[in-house]
Amino acid sequence: MQEMILILDFGSQYTQLIARRIREINVYCEIHPWNKIPELTPNIKGVILSGSPFSTRDENAPRPDLSAVKGKFPLLGICFGAQYLANSFGGEVLPSTIREYGRANLSFVDGGHELTKGMSTGSQVWMSHGDTIKHIAANFKVIASTHDVENAGYYIENEQTYGIQFHPEVYHSTEGAVLLHNFVVSICGCSQNWTPDSFVDSTVAELKATIGNDKVILGLSGGVDSSVAAVLLHKAIGANLHCIFVDNGLLRKNEFASVLDSYKDMGLNVKGVDASEKFYAELQGLTDPELKRKAIGKVFIDVFDEESKLVTDAKWLGQGTIYPDVIESVSVNGGPSQTIKSHHNVGGLPDYMKLKVIEPLRLLFKDEVRRVGKSLKISDAILQRHPFPGPGLGIRILGDVTREKVQILQEVDAIFINGLKEDGLYGDVWQAGAIFLPIQSVGVMGDERTYEHAVALRAVTSTDGMTADWCHLPYEFLAKISNRIINQVKGINRVTYDISSKPPATIEWE
């Protein structure tokens, strides 16, 4: 079994970052809810307790039973996790007299201790808490402090149990990666053998064992996730994989034909299905973002149900679902993380659809998917494509969706994306697109007054889509693209640029 670190999630906004940082050092980890601790098998090398929006003093705060973990596995509590351990084993947690949110600096760190080895006094850390560990038990020993928090880091004598008040998983904790490496590699003894090649080998073997000689239907989109999922499945089951690329009428300009063409040399069995009229009919009159997402998801399921019946003995539906999709749609494995938005490819299938779901990428972040794709020798033309939402332009048109609006937005989007490529900026952007706004504005063209639509351009930089910053594109480029859009796309007389980060905004507007 693959060695792993178990992360118990108490609902922190940073829990997924803990997983990312651990995977960056080639160690596999999984997130599970604090109240659904899995079987503690020998391949689990250590356990991490996440932060939480709760206070340990809250009546309804999480109170996990750690009797099978503490003292038996290396255990690291982060923020709430550290407070819970301190409060549960002889210490006291009280409201902070000075709350710490954001940057702080270590005024003391024991650079010789196994957890904090290599860290330095003055190192910047990231705090996010309204309580503080006021007192610790006699067998707890301090190994880190800030000016305002004496017990910022501790260990328990004679056992491998540790707690830190700050968040090492956040980039702003400048030596946080050192601490996590110390815990995962030096203390837990992980061998750092979870690589893209090892993932491919283990996943292909698992797919073979799970699917056997069954046939799988897979929805392709032309994007990174579904392409990598398709190649993994093809490597496992060969001709028993039947790929379907659905034109939902909400794709980018000319994308249906270009995507089908891109798969010709990959040896995949791909069928194109034009179902655009079905999607437009289902979307008619809908303006609420969640209702639109659910409508698009419903038609996708209906189309795949129809197509699956044309493949004799098809028993599985393959999907390119990745970790952020799961995290943003539902609490991780039924846990306490907050739902942000639904994804059409997450949450199972209706009872009438007699297919089981197979999701080979469900526990990978986007950059991990790309590394796996590179290991599979998939072309950069596919691997380096920007992410594109499953519901397509349907969630980039605010308000109701019509064919006319889609055609306008396709033209705007094509000018923007092609412009990024022409100016060598495409690779500097993680995701880009245009949004059709539900407003009209007054303009002037020639000597005439216009009252036409407005669009917003969106471009962000990110690593995995969990957080993102708006991309600082050159003013000259934005001016050129704005001019092209207004001159070439009939019906648009105003172009804006979105300078919101995630959080508080999301990458997509819906």
Side-chain angles (χ1 to χ4, degrees):
M1 297 176 69
Q2 174 70 50
E3 65 180 21
M4 62 173 279
I5 297 294
L6 172 64
I7 302 169
L8 297 183
D9 179 27
F10 294 92
S12 169
Q13 61 180 316
Y14 299 135
T15 302
Q16 293 76 35
L17 286 180
I18 302 173
R20 281 201 38 75
R21 298 299 166 257
I22 292 172
R23 292 182 183 191
E24 285 172 358
I25 53 179
N26 295 330
V27 174
Y28 181 65
C29 59
E30 288 185 5
I31 301 170
H32 288 263
W34 67 270
N35 56 348
K36 295 181 181 179
I37 301 176
E39 181 184 357
L40 297 171
T41 50
N43 63 311
I44 294 175
K45 308 292 284 185
V47 179
I48 294 178
L49 309 180
S50 82
S52 176
F54 287 98
S55 163
T56 56
R57 299 174 297 101
D58 291 345
E59 184 178 341
N60 58 342
R63 289 181 172 81
D65 178 5
L66 298 177
S67 58
V69 176
K70 183 177 175 292
K72 300 177 177 65
F73 292 84
L75 177 63
L76 173 64
I78 296 176
C79 197
F80 174 91
Q83 293 179 355
Y84 179 78
L85 289 171
N87 205 47
S88 300
F89 298 96
E92 184 180 25
V93 174
L94 297 173
S96 301
T97 53
I98 300 177
R99 297 188 301 171
E100 278 198 321
Y101 292 97
R103 296 173 179 83
N105 295 93
L106 296 179
S107 57
F108 161 73
V109 62
D110 183 349
H113 188 268
E114 57 184 354
L115 182 67
T116 49
K117 184 178 180 180
M119 297 182 68
S120 54
T121 300
S123 173
Q124 179 178 284
V125 295
W126 188 262
M127 296 287 192
S128 182
H129 59 98
D131 290 342
T132 193
I133 302 169
K134 190 67 175 177
H135 303 290
I136 53 177
N139 62 334
F140 283 55
K141 302 300 178 184
V142 175
I143 53 174
S145 304
T146 69
H147 176 73
D148 295 312
V149 178
E150 179 183 0
N151 301 309
Y154 62 77
Y155 72 97
I156 300 180
E157 288 183 312
N158 302 317
E159 64 179 80
Q160 291 181 310
T161 300
Y162 316 86
I164 49 172
Q165 183 62 79
F166 54 92
H167 288 271
E169 70 274 24
V170 176
Y171 280 118
H172 298 92
S173 290
T174 54
E175 294 177 344
V178 174
L179 186 147
L180 289 174
H181 187 278
N182 288 342
F183 179 73
V184 170
V185 178
S186 301
I187 295 173
C188 297
C190 292
S191 56
Q192 298 179 270
N193 62 356
W194 193 66
T195 63
D197 288 345
S198 71
F199 176 83
V200 170
D201 292 341
S202 62
T203 301
V204 168
E206 185 179 340
L207 290 171
K208 286 180 178 179
T210 302
I211 299 169
N213 293 319
D214 294 346
K215 293 179 181 178
V216 177
I217 308 288
L218 173 74
L220 283 174
S221 68
V224 178
D225 305 333
S226 67
S227 300
V228 174
V231 175
L232 275 171
L233 282 162
H234 182 71
K235 194 175 177 69
I237 63 174
N240 279 342
L241 174 65
H242 295 259
C243 300
I244 299 167
F245 177 48
V246 176
D247 183 0
N248 59 8
L250 306 169
L251 303 174
R252 284 175 158 154
K253 184 178 179 181
N254 300 326
E255 189 165 24
F256 187 54
S258 64
V259 166
L260 287 175
D261 188 62
S262 70
Y263 286 119
K264 282 182 179 178
D265 299 326
M266 295 176 65
L268 299 175
N269 174 23
V270 184
K271 177 182 179 181
V273 178
D274 183 354
S276 55
E277 290 302 328
K278 294 181 180 179
F279 283 89
Y280 284 130
E282 193 71 26
L283 285 167
Q284 186 172 3
L286 297 183
T287 59
D288 180 84
E290 276 297 290
L291 292 180
K292 289 196 293 183
R293 282 179 175 270
K294 291 182 186 302
I296 293 168
K298 174 184 177 299
V299 180
F300 262 112
I301 294 296
D302 291 344
V303 170
F304 280 109
D305 187 39
E306 293 171 9
E307 292 299 322
S308 69
K309 292 172 182 175
L310 302 179
V311 179
T312 307
D313 295 328
K315 295 182 179 178
W316 297 87
L317 175 66
Q319 296 192 143
T321 308
I322 64 173
Y323 219 5
D325 297 340
V326 177
I327 292 163
E328 290 194 334
S329 292
V330 292
S331 297
V332 180
N333 296 331
S337 298
Q338 185 175 0
T339 298
I340 305 299
K341 58 189 176 185
S342 65
H343 289 255
H344 76 274
N345 58 335
V346 178
L349 300 174
D351 292 338
Y352 67 80
M353 192 171 182
K354 306 304 180 183
L355 293 177
K356 295 175 284 187
V357 173
I358 191 83
E359 298 168 315
L361 307 177
R362 188 178 178 86
L363 294 178
L364 293 187
F365 291 98
K366 177 71 75 173
D367 57 321
E368 294 172 332
V369 175
R370 286 197 169 101
R371 290 201 293 271
V372 168
K374 195 170 184 65
S375 175
L376 291 166
K377 297 181 170 52
I378 298 174
S379 71
D380 282 347
I382 290 177
L383 291 183
Q384 300 308 318
R385 286 191 69 186
H386 289 175
F388 187 65
L393 300 181
I395 58 167
R396 290 183 177 176
I397 296 173
L398 307 193
D400 66 317
V401 178
T402 66
R403 186 177 290 276
E404 178 191 12
K405 291 178 181 178
V406 170
Q407 290 173 344
I408 290 174
L409 192 57
Q410 284 176 331
E411 295 298 328
V412 173
D413 180 84
I415 291 171
F416 186 29
I417 298 301
N418 290 336
L420 288 170
K421 293 177 178 177
E422 290 169 7
D423 283 33
L425 296 169
Y426 187 83
D428 298 332
V429 177
W430 193 78
Q431 184 171 342
I435 296 88
F436 188 100
L437 303 179
I439 58 173
Q440 290 177 281
S441 67
V442 173
V444 59
M445 291 184 178
D447 294 324
E448 296 184 0
R449 176 187 184 274
T450 62
Y451 191 60
E452 295 181 332
H453 299 290
V455 293
L457 304 182
R458 178 77 157 142
V460 299
T461 56
S462 182
T463 302
D464 51 32
M466 297 304 299
T467 59
D469 196 9
W470 64 277
C471 194
H472 295 238
L473 297 176
Y475 290 147
E476 295 79 9
F477 170 80
L478 291 172
K480 177 174 64 176
I481 295 302
S482 173
N483 189 57
R484 283 184 187 174
I485 290 169
I486 292 172
N487 285 338
Q488 297 178 24
V489 183
K490 186 176 181 181
I492 300 296
N493 71 353
R494 191 175 299 273
V495 176
T496 64
Y497 187 54
D498 182 352
I499 58 170
S500 308
S501 296
K502 175 187 179 179
T506 54
I507 295 175
E508 300 294 341
W509 281 40
E510 290 192 340

